[in-house]
Amino acid sequence: MTTAVFIQGPPRSGKDTLGQMLSVALRLQGLDARVYKFADPICDWSESFFGVSCRQDGLKDTKLEEMDFRSPREAAIAFSERAMKPLFGHDIFGRVLARKIGHQSPDVALITDSGFLQEAHPVCSSVGLDMCLAIQLRRPGKTFEGDSRSYWDMPYPGILMEVDNDGSIESLQNNIPNVVDTIHNIRN
């Protein structure tokens, strides 16, 4: 049975870093832990359409000529919010990811860009609400300004953890044992 871990936080708060650290820690304990993003289909679209990936950290917020002087992040948000969600529903990226996780069946799915509860619903429905953990990552000076995501504003019925990041790798690393223990408790 897959445990789904939704990591929420503003841009540059350390979501991807925390996801990678958790993946390594869980794999060292013999679990198949994989990192996923709801935005993967959007980044695939951006790369095929513009030749620029929104996965490239140094380019995410850079306004590029080939994108009509918009950043990959701006293009991804526009594609998601103005095209995909109005046409296919606010849970479209959750449905796509739930299918992918279902086909791959990892022990732990670490979703590092979770800012919409509507996207989490199909994944939680697929794995079971009791197998879902939401982590709210907080880092001083980092906000959701200019981003379409936010911390989930609706009550989350599953397990919720807050993780503080002061901006250092050590800060994130210090949280790993507690998060890993919580994941093991969910799995047992």
Side-chain angles (χ1 to χ4, degrees):
M1 178 63 78
T2 298
T3 302
V5 179
F6 302 94
I7 303 175
Q8 306 169 48
R12 316 239 14 107
S13 61
K15 299 179 299 293
D16 291 329
T17 303
L18 179 61
Q20 289 300 328
M21 288 177 163
L22 287 169
S23 176
V24 169
L26 292 163
R27 285 178 182 184
L28 287 172
Q29 295 180 3
L31 292 174
D32 177 13
R34 300 182 193 189
V35 176
Y36 296 92
K37 286 181 173 286
F38 288 114
D40 278 342
I42 300 169
C43 292
D44 293 343
W45 163 82
S46 174
E47 196 162 4
S48 68
F49 198 76
F50 294 108
V52 176
S53 175
C54 57
R55 292 182 184 96
Q56 296 171 336
D57 230 7
L59 287 181
K60 280 184 189 177
D61 296 306
T62 304
K63 296 191 184 298
L64 302 170
E65 185 175 356
E66 55 265 49
M67 297 184 108
D68 201 21
F69 298 99
R70 288 176 178 79
S71 71
R73 184 186 306 272
E74 290 170 326
I77 290 170
F79 181 65
S80 168
E81 302 305 309
R82 295 183 193 157
M84 295 301 292
K85 289 180 181 179
L87 286 171
F88 301 105
H90 288 280
D91 65 348
I92 181 61
F93 298 109
R95 287 184 281 137
V96 169
L97 185 56
R99 281 193 301 271
K100 184 174 185 177
I101 290 169
H103 291 307
Q104 295 179 351
S105 298
D107 295 319
V108 181
L110 300 157
I111 303 151
T112 63
D113 65 344
S114 186
F116 299 105
L117 188 54
Q118 299 92 333
E119 292 176 340
H121 282 259
V123 176
C124 286
S125 292
S126 175
V127 302
L129 186 58
D130 59 331
M131 298 298 286
C132 292
L133 168 65
I135 297 173
Q136 291 185 343
L137 184 58
R138 301 183 186 279
R139 181 175 174 184
K142 303 302 176 189
T143 69
F144 287 103
E145 186 177 329
D147 199 302
S148 59
R149 296 170 297 174
S150 64
Y151 294 117
W152 294 343
D153 58 358
M154 298 174 227
Y156 174 67
I159 299 169
L160 177 67
M161 288 183 77
E162 289 189 11
V163 171
D164 292 315
N165 175 14
D166 68 9
S168 69
I169 295 295
E170 296 78 28
S171 174
L172 284 176
Q173 193 67 44
N174 290 338
N175 286 288
I176 298 300
N178 189 29
V179 176
V180 167
D181 285 348
T182 301
I183 292 168
H184 282 297
N185 288 337
I186 291 169
R187 294 186 59 73
N188 293 328

